[in-house]
Amino acid sequence: MPIDPVALTADLIRCPSVTPVEGGALVLLEKLLTEGGFTCTRVDRGGIANLYARWGRQGANRTFGFNGHTDVVPIGNQDDWTVDPFGAEIKDGYMYGRGATDMKSGVAAFAAAAIDFVQDTPPDGAVVLAITGDEEADALDGTTALLDWMAANNEVMSVCLVGEPTCPSEMGETMKIGRRGSLTAWFTVNGEQGHSAYPHRANNPLPAMARLVDRLSSHVLDEGTDHFDPSTLAVVTIDTGNPATNVIPASCTAAVNVRFNDAHSSQSIIDWFAEEVAQIKGTFGVDIDTKVKVSGESFVTPPGDLSDLIGNAVKAETGRTPELSTSGGTSDARFVKNHCPVVEFGLVGKTMHQVDERVLVAQISQLKAIYKRILTDYFA
Ligand SMILES: [Zn+2]
């Protein structure tokens, strides 16, 4: 009996798996995959549940991997929803619920495709599913835990497809062959507090901060590269918290978020920050503390066999040739790329993280058909 990806999506939505809660989602998948002939291992770490499933020989030369997550973001204000966020209700062709697009439908589609594929046409090789319960939060013990465990246990993927939603509005229009890197930096400028009537007796940190923020935000990082749009820097906050107009504050903190392409690394950006900070310190005689958090480096899987394989399957099932994109935020592909070539393809993600998140029911079956065709073509 073929696995129905729509029923499976509904079952998964009914598991309230808001990060870091497992919610029954991985338990359900483990049972289904075990019945489908997969060897399943729970790779839990740091209070996070993860599931590794393999059909076929360990370490096979041709191993096709799928990666995805069953955790979901919080529902927000339940009163804003017109349906039960964990009810999987179907209305006017859409299935509603938290995770409907991001990405329980994707996980259901690849699990159903993988089980059907190995039963219909057992391949000479292996099919691997690496499913995490920690993608939406810090992702410290999610896909990285799976990849660490795989490396320690001779488990491999030759290539990997991440099933995140990648299409902006029409099914099949976009796949992602890379992602920009992301980092956030906090700058604290420390001067000397004083009376605003006697500014010469204080050292006001605000002009220094204004200059720093202006220099950073007006700098052109690059003009874009072969596969990427230009890198961007956004000033996201400037805080002094000074309610008094007769006081020059002692310090001020600002944060910037940088989304960078393959013309940079997090280190090259950090080095640039250091140069700018040194200049401002010299000019204004202030101290500046810098704190940086790197969320991910930029990466690209250059167009080739893997993107062709996926593009051809998408074209065959939807009639559309997907555009190769590197836009958007980060995803777990940033970890997988250290293990093997990785591309992301999934359905339309318009409502992800929104109230009344929903997926076109027909797209779930279409996505399963695409994933199954990818497996068939890969092992042909
Ligand atoms: Zn996601």
Side-chain angles (χ1 to χ4, degrees):
M1 271 289 280
I3 307 284
D4 176 7
V6 176
L8 181 53
T9 302
D11 288 344
L12 288 172
I13 288 174
R14 291 188 191 110
C15 299
S17 51
V18 177
T19 332
V21 176
E22 186 273 333
L26 291 174
V27 171
L28 189 157
L29 286 166
E30 179 171 5
K31 181 165 178 289
L32 185 76
L33 286 158
T34 304
E35 286 166 3
F38 282 72
T39 305
C40 292
T41 310
R42 277 283 289 270
V43 185
D44 297 2
R45 191 171 85 181
I48 297 289
N50 302 293
L51 178 66
Y52 180 82
R54 171 174 41 80
W55 184 97
R57 253 182 7 267
Q58 179 178 26
N61 273 340
R62 288 182 82 67
T63 300
F64 194 96
F66 286 101
N67 171 252
H69 63 90
T70 52
D71 62 318
V72 295
V73 295
I75 59 168
N77 186 358
Q78 177 143 12
D79 293 341
D80 294 340
W81 287 70
T82 63
V83 293
D84 174 359
F86 300 108
E89 194 178 313
I90 295 179
K91 275 195 307 192
D92 302 327
Y94 284 90
M95 183 184 291
Y96 285 73
R98 180 54 87 225
T101 59
D102 186 10
M103 57 168 282
K104 287 177 167 174
S105 47
V107 170
F110 69 58
I115 292 170
D116 285 5
F117 172 70
V118 298
Q119 281 175 1
D120 296 352
T121 46
D124 178 16
V127 178
V128 154
L129 279 61
I131 308 170
T132 175
D134 181 24
E135 195 275 342
E136 297 289 6
D138 289 341
L140 297 174
D141 293 305
T143 292
T144 47
L146 284 159
L147 293 169
D148 290 349
W149 178 86
M150 286 173 67
N153 289 277
N154 297 317
E155 298 283 353
V156 297
M157 296 185 285
S158 314
V159 294
C160 182
L161 175 55
V162 177
E164 289 277 0
T166 53
C167 299
S169 54
E170 301 292 334
M171 182 64 169
E173 62 186 344
T174 308
M175 76 170 101
K176 302 215 173 187
I177 57 167
R179 293 273 186 156
R180 294 181 298 177
S182 172
L183 66 77
T184 301
W186 292 263
F187 301 98
T188 301
V189 179
N190 295 302
E192 204 181 331
Q193 191 175 321
H195 196 302
S196 47
Y198 308 97
H200 54 285
R201 292 188 201 154
N203 187 1
N204 193 340
L206 297 179
M209 178 60 89
R211 181 80 61 88
L212 176 64
V213 162
D214 177 50
R215 282 190 61 87
L216 294 179
S217 62
S218 57
H219 178 74
V220 176
L221 282 158
D222 56 76
E223 306 281 356
T225 65
D226 280 357
H227 303 296
F228 288 90
D229 290 334
S231 304
T232 59
L233 180 147
V235 180
V236 291
T237 189
I238 304 177
D239 302 299
T240 306
N242 176 22
T245 55
N246 57 352
V247 172
I248 289 170
S251 75
C252 175
T253 298
V256 301
N257 181 257
V258 184
R259 303 295 169 122
F260 55 96
N261 60 31
D262 56 348
H264 310 270
S265 65
S266 60
Q267 193 55 53
S268 70
I269 304 233
I270 289 167
D271 292 346
W272 167 55
F273 287 156
E275 282 168 32
E276 294 292 336
V277 161
Q279 274 212 22
I280 300 291
K281 282 164 82 169
T283 307
F284 291 88
V286 292
D287 274 336
I288 303 179
D289 293 331
T290 308
K291 207 175 78 189
V292 177
K293 182 174 173 237
V294 179
S295 303
E297 298 291 338
S298 67
F299 70 93
V300 63
T301 300
D305 290 349
L306 182 56
S307 55
D308 288 351
L309 172 78
I310 289 159
N312 291 337
V314 171
K315 174 100 207 285
E317 295 291 339
T318 69
R320 286 195 185 84
T321 301
E323 179 200 337
L324 309 184
S325 161
T326 54
S327 67
T330 64
S331 79
D332 277 359
R334 73 189 189 274
F335 305 126
V336 179
K337 61 102 165 118
N338 297 324
H339 183 94
C340 66
V342 58
V343 165
E344 299 172 64
F345 178 78
L347 38 67
V348 175
K350 240 186 218 165
T351 59
M352 48 188 184
H353 298 202
Q354 291 181 7
V355 160
D356 280 355
E357 181 176 347
R358 59 198 175 274
V359 61
L360 260 181
V361 172
Q363 264 181 28
I364 306 174
S365 303
Q366 203 176 16
L367 186 63
K368 178 193 170 184
I370 292 168
Y371 288 157
K372 191 156 179 244
R373 185 181 286 270
I374 288 169
L375 288 171
T376 305
D377 292 351
Y378 179 74
F379 289 102

